[in-house]
């Protein structure tokens, strides 16, 4: 490494130590230009790229290092982490395993391999590296949470709960442990405990829809359907194209007797889904609830035949939405505009969204801290 490259590299390290990753990365790049063959500079540049979320470039840089020096275990482990983050699970597993073959107690690789195996829905195998890691780091919150997940997914509910609670004792604000514990307690139908955990997690991680989904499930378990629907609304706002949340909204709307929105959500869920079976089942249930048994049966028959949504049924459902909307408006003697056939596409394609009004004397706060019209 030349003197000029060394000076720039040291400045980059200092900037990285102060948390200024963007500026550090620019210095690492400059140092690498001055010493393109220097493996240490290349590795630190790749690490900064990884920290900065530039996964593809980081992967490219790490691959070059590993190709040049196959025994650079830090680079191989970082490459595996990169591949894990982009869901290249096969290559990630291979690289983590190669690191562990040479250093069986490599904490990064143990954590990474367990994470890959969990993503592959193989919790039994994942529990092996997770247990080794937990023995090495018995009080680490992330490690306890990881091991707890393997236990929960292998049916070891009591040990899983104990591990999650230990993780939260170490770090009461660790959202993954909260969500893992909430998911595990859902299996035991401890809905009130789940609500407490989900609300706290939603406050700590307001852009994550998962706490709101768990809150919705727990509220439904307690029979609080309106609050369950509102929680799901909030989750859907954070992930508006999620067929999972749209399907859930369809089911909750049907249970609340809101058949128009039940059908709307089911159609939108179908259009957003890669695998629309759940959305089609929700549509069939909504049609059945309105006593359109033939159409409901057609939807369910087409699911078993992998035929998808019949265009005739879609047109029937869309027309039904318009007719039911007109009927409901007339029944309420509302002054709202009635959708015309020319407005049909807009009324179908636009996701129905919740309207949260400002609080006043006629509105009651719900479990989310929001306000809805009290219908009791």
């Amino acid at each position: 490494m030349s003197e000029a490259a060394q000076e720039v590299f040291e400045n980059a390290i200092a900037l990285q130590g102060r948390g200024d990753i963007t500026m550090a990365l620019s210095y690492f790049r400059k140092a690498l230009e001055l010493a393109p063959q220097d493996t240490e500079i290349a590795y630190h540049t790749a690490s900064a790229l990884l920290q900065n979320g530039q996964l593809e470039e980081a992967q490219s840089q790490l691959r070059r290092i590993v190709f040049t020096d196959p025994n650079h275990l830090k680079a191989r482990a970082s490459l595996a982490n990169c591949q894990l983050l982009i869901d290249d699970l096969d290559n990630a597993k291979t690289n983590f395993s190669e690191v562990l073959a040479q250093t069986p107690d490599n904490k990064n690789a143990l954590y990474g391999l367990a994470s890959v195996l969990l993503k592959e829905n193989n919790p039994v195998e994942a529990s092996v590296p997770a247990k080794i890691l937990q023995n090495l780091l018995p009080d680490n919150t992330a490690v306890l949470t990881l091991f707890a997940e393997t236990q929960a997914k292998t049916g070891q509910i009591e040990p899983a709960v104990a591990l999650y609670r230990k993780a939260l004792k170490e770090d009461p604000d660790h959202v993954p442990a909260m969500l893992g514990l909430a998911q595990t307690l859902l299996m035991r139908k401890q809905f009130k405990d789940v609500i407490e955990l989900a609300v706290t997690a939603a406050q700590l991680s307001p852009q994550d829809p998962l706490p709101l989904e768990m809150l919705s499930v727990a509220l439904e378990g307690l029979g609080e359907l309106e609050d369950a629907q509102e929680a799901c609304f909030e989750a859907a706002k954070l992930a508006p194209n999620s067929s999972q949340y749209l399907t859930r909204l369809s089911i909750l709307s049907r249970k609340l007797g809101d058949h128009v929105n039940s059908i709307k959500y089911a159609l939108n869920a179908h259009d957003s889904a890669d695998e629309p079976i759940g959305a089609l089942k929700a549509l069939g249930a909504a049609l059945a609830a309105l006593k359109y048994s033939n159409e409901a049966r057609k939807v369910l028959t087409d699911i078993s035949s992998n035929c998808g949504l019949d265009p005739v049924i879609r047109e029937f459902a869309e027309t039904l939405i318009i007719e039911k909307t007109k009927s409901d408006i007339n029944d309420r003697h509302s002054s709202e505009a009635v959708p015309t056939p020319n407005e049909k596409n807009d009324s179908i394609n636009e996701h129905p969204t919740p309207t949260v009004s400002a609080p006043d004397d006629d509105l009651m706060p719900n479990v989310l801290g929001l306000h809805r019209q009290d219908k009791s």
Side-chain angles (χ1 to χ4, degrees), residues 175-340:
V175 172
M178 285 183 197
L179 295 179
L181 179 56
Q183 186 68 62
T184 306
L185 294 178
L186 275 176
M187 300 179 194
R188 291 163 48 168
K189 298 185 178 181
Q190 292 180 228
F191 299 125
K192 291 183 179 179
D193 290 335
V194 173
I195 288 171
E196 182 179 349
L197 288 163
V199 169
T200 303
Q203 292 167 343
L204 291 169
S205 185
Q207 299 306 311
D208 185 356
L210 184 55
L212 293 165
E213 178 191 5
M214 289 189 183
L215 178 60
S216 176
V217 174
L219 288 165
E220 183 184 6
L222 290 175
E224 301 290 342
L225 295 183
E226 288 185 340
D227 284 344
Q229 185 186 53
E230 185 178 1
C232 196
F233 274 142
E234 296 302 313
K237 282 183 181 179
L238 296 173
N241 295 318
S242 169
S243 62
Q244 176 181 337
Y245 299 140
L246 293 169
T247 298
R248 179 162 179 74
L249 282 171
S250 174
I251 293 168
L252 288 168
S253 295
R254 172 174 54 80
K255 289 182 177 181
L256 286 164
D258 183 358
H259 300 301
V260 170
N261 275 332
S262 180
I263 296 172
K264 281 186 182 179
Y265 282 125
L267 289 176
N268 284 317
H270 171 271
D271 295 343
S272 300
D274 293 328
E275 296 292 336
I277 292 177
L280 290 171
K281 287 181 178 179
L283 177 60
L287 291 170
L290 286 169
K291 309 300 183 186
Y292 294 106
S293 56
N294 290 335
E295 288 76 11
R297 191 178 303 111
K298 172 64 175 169
V299 172
L300 298 177
T301 301
D302 286 346
I303 291 174
S304 62
S305 304
N306 293 318
C307 294
L309 179 58
D310 190 319
V312 174
I313 297 295
R314 173 183 280 279
E315 184 175 359
F316 176 85
E318 291 175 347
T319 302
L320 186 60
I321 290 170
I322 294 171
E323 291 177 351
K324 289 291 293 180
T325 300
K326 288 179 180 178
S327 175
D328 290 346
I329 290 173
N330 289 335
D331 288 345
R332 293 194 305 265
H333 302 286
S334 170
S335 61
E336 297 175 11
V338 179
T340 65

Side-chain angles (χ1 to χ4, degrees), residues 126-143:
S127 66
V128 177
K131 176 60 176 174
I132 295 170
L133 186 58
Q134 199 263 330
N135 288 334
L136 293 170
L137 298 170
D139 299 320
N140 183 280
T141 304
V143 171

Side-chain angles (χ1 to χ4, degrees), residues 77 80-81 84 92-100 108-109 112-113 116:
N81 278 324
L84 172 58
K93 182 161 62 175
T94 297
N95 281 309
F96 282 133
S97 298
E98 288 187 15
V99 172
L100 290 170
N108 188 349
L113 181 59
V116 169

Side-chain angles (χ1 to χ4, degrees), residues 138-157:
D139 299 320
N140 183 280
T141 304
V143 171
L144 287 165
T145 301
L146 180 74
F147 187 41
E149 185 178 353
T150 68
Q151 298 305 287
K153 290 184 175 178
T154 53
Q156 306 299 311
I157 303 302

